[in-house]
């Protein structure tokens, strides 16, 4: 049963409430390496953070500014401090690891302004060994009933900004989160989305992000002075950031801190700061693998609509049966079908007003296909593209979800393709309002969709989402999402994702949660016949990886549902390599980032979780690199000692390189134990994927 059981091994709570005399409140991580100090000495609350006795965040202001009422800024004095600590373990219904440890020290600091009729707010902070989280908690009070937050004063002042590097994408851009990551000096990272990663001259790695973004605006970071970032909340159409009433709490502002790059990847901080599962029994949320009528549209082989003069309609009954047969034959759980419903004809980017979410095109017999799939043990995966008209979707949402529920559909991919700031909603007076994908309105809209889907035991894979902040813990049916440049950019070539993209995603976007990247492109020559035949010549509009790197990406890029994105015939042409995609699970007992540097390379080992299909004994490894070929030594000491495994290794061939020899791969098998060390040889933009099959 997939439930979110809370096994509290020991929850020790010591509450010390002190009327405070001192102006400083300190709280350290359980291992003592991280120390956070809050202070009211500057007349406005502030905090700083030390890691191993060195400042990583210098004094940084805290506070909120309201449209109507006086700001929570100057004049607030700490009046009460409550400290506690927690050690517990909880279980994920699905995830990178089954059991998560939550070990932290907590402090709640209340601050009062006597000049403002004793206006009061609190900061709740939790300090873990892998970083900190803090949030504003504002109780009900007379002068602050209905409030409109116009800005947050929260700062993050990087102590070593001068010598640090930033890994980032721009915020508030037209393409939402779908930008190539930048690696620059900090001063060039002016206005960025979170999670954003920093590396200091001492090799300290920081990731600033937020957890549990609910009924609030997303936080972006704006560099107001060199190294000093201030929270910049994405506004509503009218410029207000957050419309709410007391009592309310902000999302957690998080800083993950590690002394190397992989330390960021082995952190559970974001999940630990989210609320436990609210959905009860979620045994109906099923990780798995899928194929779909998808890539053929992106490479213009088929069309979403029915009237395209250049390509046939992809979502036909016949074509879907072909995919269902393929899925059944090779053990896939689902078939995604895009372009099945009325509204795609013409340029669908502009069709947000006309999409029907219940009417299928006549050449797509949805009932027959659901039955056909059921007979073969394959689920249809639903698709709702809104083109950003969320009112049109909202008006049909109940019926649309009911339809899929009746057909036995368990997962739906949603889409919100619209430029940033151009989500169209129609307010209760009938007036069109334009919103951001990460403003408070959309934060609530996405979650509404998740809750409605949950009522029908349906899981959602959101494309063009708001960024992930760990809400999958609370709503395990929010199974994955996009929220970065995925494989689709390699089809369009606008431009394709560069070789460093995946090793960059691993240390940035992936820190927020699972991503539906859709790996597994085997035919890199879809834009060029010559390349298709002999693999020669640098071709731009295609994945800039080797084939082995496509395989390794299944292990590196975590998602509980993974697509095999290419066309069936391209897998059948390379059955030996396809075997890895067939074997690799998507749900893990344990995950360990073994090695890596931001944007350069990364090595993950993951142990499969025991399910009906998987014994729970095998391990998998994925290693990938950027444009540089490299050799990486990997100690297999993560394997259980005394056990024998067969390593099934899918690696770059000796002559492989992504530019003109991406198909050179080699598959070998050898016996290994935890005593062994493997030397992985990765080609330029290459990879190694390994299944360690348990032998005894
Ligand atoms: C954008 C999604 O990311 C992509 O996967 C999908 O095919 C299109 N929207 C059409 O819905
Ligand atoms: Ca997209």
């Amino acid at each position: 049963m997939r439930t979110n059981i809370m096994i509290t091994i020991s929850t020790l709570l010591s509450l010390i409430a002190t009327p405070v005399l001192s102006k400083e409140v300190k709280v350290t991580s359980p291992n003592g390496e991280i120390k956070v100090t809050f202070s009211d000495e500057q007349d406005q609350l502030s905090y700083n953070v030390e890691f191993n006795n060195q400042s990583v965040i210098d004094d940084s202001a805290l506070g909120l500014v309201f449209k109507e009422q006086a700001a929570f800024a100057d004049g607030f004095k700490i009046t009460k401090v409550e400290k506690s600590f927690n050690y517990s373990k909880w279980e994920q219904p699905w995830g990178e690891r089954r059991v998560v440890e939550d070990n932290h020290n907590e402090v709640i600091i209340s601050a009062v302004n006597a000049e403002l009729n004793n206006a009061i707010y609190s900061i709740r902070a939790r300090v873990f060994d892998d970083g900190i989280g803090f949030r504003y908690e504002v109780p009900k009070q007379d002068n602050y009933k209905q409030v409109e937050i116009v800005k947050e004063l929260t700062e993050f002042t990087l102590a070593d900004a001068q010598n640090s590097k930033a890994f980032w994408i721009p915020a508030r851009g037209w393409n939402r989160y779908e930008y190539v990551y930048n690696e620059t000096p900090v001063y060039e990272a002016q206005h960025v989305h979170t999670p954003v990663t920093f590396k200091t001259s001492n090799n300290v790695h920081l990731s600033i992000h937020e957890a549990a973004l609910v009924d609030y605006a997303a936080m972006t970071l704006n560099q107001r002075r060199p190294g000093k970032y201030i929270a910049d909340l994405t506004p509503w159409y009218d410029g207000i950031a957050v419309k709410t009433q007391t009592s309310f709490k902000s999302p957690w502002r998080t800083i993950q801190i590690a002394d190397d790059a992989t330390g960021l990847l082995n952190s559970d901080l974001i999940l630990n700061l989210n609320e436990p599962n609210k959905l009860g029994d979620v045994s109906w949320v099923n990780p798995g693998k899928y194929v779909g009528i998808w890539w053929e549209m992106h490479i213009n082989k088929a069309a979403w609509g029915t009237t395209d003069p250049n390509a046939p309609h992809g979502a036909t009954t016949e074509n879907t049966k072909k995919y269902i047969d393929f899925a059944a034959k090779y053990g896939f759980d689902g078939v995604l079908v895009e372009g099945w419903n009325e509204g795609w004809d013409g340029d669908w980017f502009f069709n947000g007003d006309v999409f029907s979410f219940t009417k299928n095109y006549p050449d797509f017999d949805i009932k027959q296909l659901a039955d056909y799939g059921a007979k073969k043990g394959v689920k249809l995966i639903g698709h709702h593209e809104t083109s950003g008209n969320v009112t049109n979707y909202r008006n049909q949402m109940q019926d649309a979800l009911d339809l899929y529920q009746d057909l036995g559909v368990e997962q739906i991919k949603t889409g919100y393709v619209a430029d940033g700031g151009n989500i169209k909603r129609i307010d209760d007076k009938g007036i069109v309002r334009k919103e951001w994908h990460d403003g408070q309105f959309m934060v609530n809209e996405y979650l509404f969709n998740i809750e409605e889907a949950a009522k029908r035991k349906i899981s959602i894979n959101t494309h063009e989402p708001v960024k992930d902040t760990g809400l999958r813990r609370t709503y395990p049916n929010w199974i994955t999402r996009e929220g970065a440049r995925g494989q689709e950019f390699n089809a369009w070539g606008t431009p394709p994702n560069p070789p460093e993209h995946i090793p960059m995603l691993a240390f940035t976007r992936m820190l927020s949660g699972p991503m539906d990247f859709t790996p597994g492109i085997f035919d890199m020559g879809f834009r060029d016949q010559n390349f298709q035949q002999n693999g020669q010549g640098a071709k731009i509009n295609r994945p800039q990886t080797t084939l082995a790197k496509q395989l390794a990406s299944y292990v590196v890029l975590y998602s509980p549902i993974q697509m095999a994105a290419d066309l069936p015939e391209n897998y059948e042409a390379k059955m030996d390599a396809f075997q890895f995609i067939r074997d690799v699970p998507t749900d893990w007992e344990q995950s360990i980032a073994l090695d890596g540097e931001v944007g350069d390379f990364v090595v993950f080992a993951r142990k499969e979780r025991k399910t009906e299909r998987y014994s729970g004994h095998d391990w998998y490894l994925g290693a990938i690199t950027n444009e540089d070929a490299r050799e990486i030594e990997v100690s297999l000491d993560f394997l259980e000692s005394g056990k024998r495994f067969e390593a099934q290794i899918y690696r770059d061939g000796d002559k492989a390189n992504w530019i003109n020899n991406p198909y050179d791969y080699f598959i070998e098998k050898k016996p290994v134990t935890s005593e062994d060390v493997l030397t992985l040889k990765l080609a330029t933009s290459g990879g190694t994927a390994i299944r360690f099959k348990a032998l005894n």
Side-chain angles (χ1 to χ4, degrees):
M1 254 214 340
R2 296 187 176 278
T3 48
N4 216 356
I5 316 161
M6 180 88 166
I7 7 172
T8 303
I9 287 197
S10 70
T11 305
L12 301 159
L13 220 77
S14 82
L15 274 175
I16 320 160
T18 16
V20 181
L21 302 169
S22 86
K23 299 283 186 185
E24 278 194 349
V25 180
K26 290 188 192 301
V27 50
T28 56
S29 56
N31 68 4
E33 288 180 7
I34 299 176
K35 186 162 79 192
V36 187
T37 306
F38 291 92
S39 156
D40 63 6
E41 271 167 2
Q42 318 291 329
D43 216 37
Q44 179 176 345
L45 286 203
S46 66
Y47 75 101
N48 61 53
V49 186
E50 283 174 40
F51 178 51
N52 291 330
N53 299 317
Q54 284 203 318
S55 176
V56 287
I57 302 286
D58 285 344
D59 282 343
S60 299
L62 296 166
L64 298 171
V65 178
F66 304 100
K67 186 173 175 203
E68 301 291 344
Q69 297 92 339
F72 290 174
D74 292 355
F76 279 77
K77 294 289 160 202
I78 297 173
T79 53
K80 192 167 143 206
V81 176
E82 295 160 83
K83 287 188 169 176
S84 63
F85 60 103
N86 173 80
Y87 180 81
S88 55
K89 290 186 179 188
W90 56 278
E91 192 165 324
Q92 299 203 76
W94 49 264
E96 299 95 317
R97 59 184 56 76
R98 188 168 56 82
V99 179
V100 178
E101 251 183 51
D102 177 350
N103 187 14
H104 67 255
N105 291 324
E106 179 177 283
V107 65
I108 307 171
I109 296 163
S110 300
V112 170
N113 189 331
E115 316 273 88
L116 281 181
N117 268 325
N118 287 332
I120 179 169
Y121 75 99
S122 303
I123 300 285
R124 185 189 293 260
R126 289 187 181 160
V127 185
F128 303 78
D129 290 344
D130 51 351
I132 71 163
F134 62 86
R135 73 178 180 204
Y136 298 92
E137 297 189 349
V138 182
K140 254 203 184 97
Q141 49 202 298
D142 280 351
N143 295 336
Y144 296 82
K145 279 186 180 135
Q146 289 297 125
V147 293
E148 295 191 328
I149 300 173
V150 289
K151 64 178 171 181
E152 229 183 87
L153 300 174
T154 317
E155 291 175 348
F156 302 86
T157 310
L158 299 178
D160 187 30
Q162 284 260 330
N163 306 307
S164 297
K165 271 189 196 165
F167 305 87
W168 58 279
I169 51 171
R172 218 75 41 81
W174 71 272
N175 217 4
R176 307 166 304 270
Y177 302 98
E178 297 177 23
Y179 290 94
V180 172
Y181 273 84
N182 298 288
E183 171 176 346
T184 69
V186 169
Y187 65 81
E188 285 180 34
Q190 286 298 324
H191 187 191
V192 302
H193 273 303
T194 75
V196 53
T197 300
F198 298 102
K199 178 182 172 177
T200 73
S201 54
N202 289 338
N203 213 40
V204 174
H205 287 68
L206 305 170
S207 167
I208 304 181
H209 188 41
E210 57 184 315
L213 170 55
V214 177
D215 196 17
Y216 207 85
M219 176 181 75
T220 64
L221 296 181
N222 217 323
Q223 195 171 185
R224 302 310 303 162
R225 312 201 63 212
K228 190 181 271 297
Y229 286 95
I230 185 161
D232 183 330
L233 302 178
T234 300
W236 287 73
Y237 73 95
D238 59 2
I240 301 296
V242 179
K243 305 180 184 206
T244 188
Q245 61 281 316
T246 55
S247 63
F248 72 88
K249 50 195 184 225
S250 74
W252 296 91
R253 278 66 189 90
T254 61
I255 310 172
Q256 280 156 284
I257 307 170
D259 51 17
D260 61 11
T262 51
L264 293 180
L265 310 190
N266 291 320
S267 159
D268 293 316
L269 182 127
I270 300 292
L271 284 173
N272 273 327
L273 289 170
N274 274 273
E275 300 289 321
N277 172 15
K278 275 194 179 155
L279 301 181
D281 172 30
V282 285
S283 52
W284 46 271
V285 178
N286 289 313
K289 282 175 291 192
Y290 70 102
V291 292
I293 300 180
W294 180 75
W295 186 245
E296 57 192 81
M297 275 87 89
H298 288 273
I299 61 173
N300 303 327
K301 228 188 131 210
W304 279 277
T306 59
T307 55
D308 191 318
N310 301 312
H313 186 210
T316 64
T317 305
E318 194 197 341
N319 198 24
T320 309
K321 279 189 178 164
K322 193 182 97 183
Y323 274 84
I324 291 174
D325 292 346
F326 179 85
K329 185 164 173 196
Y330 297 115
F332 289 84
D333 306 281
V335 173
L336 165 71
V337 189
E338 297 196 0
W340 66 275
N341 54 318
E342 282 183 10
W344 289 92
D345 294 338
D347 187 346
W348 60 262
F349 182 87
F350 300 103
N351 289 5
D353 296 351
V354 301
F355 274 121
S356 163
F357 298 95
T358 51
K359 289 189 199 129
N360 52 283
Y361 278 122
D363 57 351
F364 182 79
D365 189 335
I366 192 166
K367 177 82 181 79
Q368 191 198 126
L369 286 165
D371 293 345
Y372 186 79
K375 263 189 238 125
K376 300 213 153 195
V378 175
K379 296 271 178 195
L380 281 183
I381 297 178
H383 187 232
H384 290 161
E385 173 58 62
T386 66
S387 288
N389 185 333
V390 293
T391 304
N392 182 42
Y393 184 36
R394 180 63 100 100
N395 291 341
Q396 300 178 57
M397 198 184 289
Q398 309 295 333
D399 293 343
L401 293 172
D402 287 347
L403 170 71
Y404 272 142
Q405 185 189 21
D406 292 345
L407 291 166
V409 168
E410 280 178 1
Q411 289 167 3
I412 299 173
K413 171 178 169 180
T414 57
Y416 297 81
V417 175
D419 288 352
N422 216 23
I423 285 277
K424 178 177 174 181
R425 74 174 170 99
I426 300 166
D427 74 7
D428 45 14
K429 296 192 187 72
I431 302 170
V432 171
R433 305 291 188 191
K434 296 295 177 73
E435 303 288 356
W436 290 93
H437 287 72
D438 58 348
Q440 185 187 11
F441 172 80
M442 281 306 292
V443 163
N444 292 341
E445 197 66 15
Y446 288 115
L447 194 54
F448 179 79
N449 178 245
I450 297 299
E451 289 176 320
E452 286 303 310
K455 289 180 191 161
R456 296 160 176 91
K457 300 194 163 112
I458 289 174
S459 301
I460 299 289
N461 164 10
T462 316
H463 276 232
E464 297 76 50
V466 60
K467 66 186 176 183
D468 199 349
T469 57
L471 285 174
R472 61 182 155 134
R473 178 173 178 190
T474 316
Y475 303 94
N477 70 321
W478 204 338
I479 196 157
T480 194
R481 77 183 77 195
E482 189 186 40
R485 279 178 146 241
Q487 185 88 269
E488 59 189 17
F489 278 82
N490 300 328
W492 317 329
T494 55
N497 300 319
E500 68 172 19
H501 187 59
I502 299 176
M504 191 65 95
L505 287 180
F507 296 92
T508 53
R509 158 67 183 81
M510 300 309 292
L511 297 178
S512 69
M515 174 176 179
D516 187 37
F517 180 86
T518 70
I521 296 305
F522 275 22
D523 171 22
M524 315 258 180
F526 48 83
R527 293 269 185 244
D528 187 289
Q529 282 300 315
N530 185 39
F531 187 88
Q532 201 150 25
Q533 274 145 30
N534 59 27
Q536 298 297 303
K539 288 296 170 282
I540 301 305
N541 291 332
R542 62 170 172 90
Q544 299 192 340
T545 74
T546 66
L547 191 137
K549 183 171 172 179
Q550 292 285 325
L551 297 180
S553 299
Y554 283 92
V555 183
V556 169
L557 296 172
Y558 171 65
S559 177
I561 55 168
Q562 290 275 24
M563 184 177 209
D566 211 337
L567 311 178
E569 56 267 34
N570 295 331
Y571 291 128
E572 286 184 323
K574 296 191 175 82
M575 284 301 293
D576 55 352
F578 184 45
Q579 187 61 42
F580 185 79
I581 301 181
R582 295 181 63 194
D583 290 341
V584 69
T586 62
D587 192 18
W588 308 101
E589 176 68 22
Q590 186 55 274
S591 293
I592 312 167
L594 297 172
D595 201 356
E597 290 295 343
V598 186
D600 295 344
F601 74 101
V602 61
V603 185
F604 262 106
R606 302 191 197 266
K607 187 184 188 185
E608 69 185 22
R609 198 190 282 209
K610 188 176 183 326
T611 62
E612 268 169 40
R613 177 157 165 192
Y614 297 96
S615 70
H617 297 304
D618 294 359
W619 284 80
Y620 286 77
L621 181 144
I624 54 161
T625 179
N626 61 358
E627 65 281 2
D628 296 328
R630 71 183 77 226
E631 273 189 27
I632 308 169
E633 301 242 295
V634 178
S635 159
L636 302 187
D637 56 8
F638 55 87
L639 297 173
E640 292 82 5
S641 65
K643 267 188 150 184
R644 292 183 308 118
F645 294 83
E646 178 186 75
Q648 303 173 350
I649 304 171
Y650 301 70
R651 63 170 174 85
D652 293 318
D654 296 336
K655 297 205 176 68
N657 69 71
W658 80 263
I659 295 181
N660 52 29
N661 206 6
Y663 299 144
D664 182 20
Y665 62 87
F666 192 76
I667 302 173
E668 59 191 329
K669 295 182 178 169
K670 57 173 159 192
V672 295
T673 70
S674 62
E675 312 271 286
D676 289 307
V677 174
L678 295 183
T679 303
L680 311 179
K681 286 190 188 165
L682 312 187
T684 63
S685 198
T688 301
I690 307 178
R691 175 187 184 188
F692 296 97
K693 189 175 186 310
L695 294 177
N696 49 355

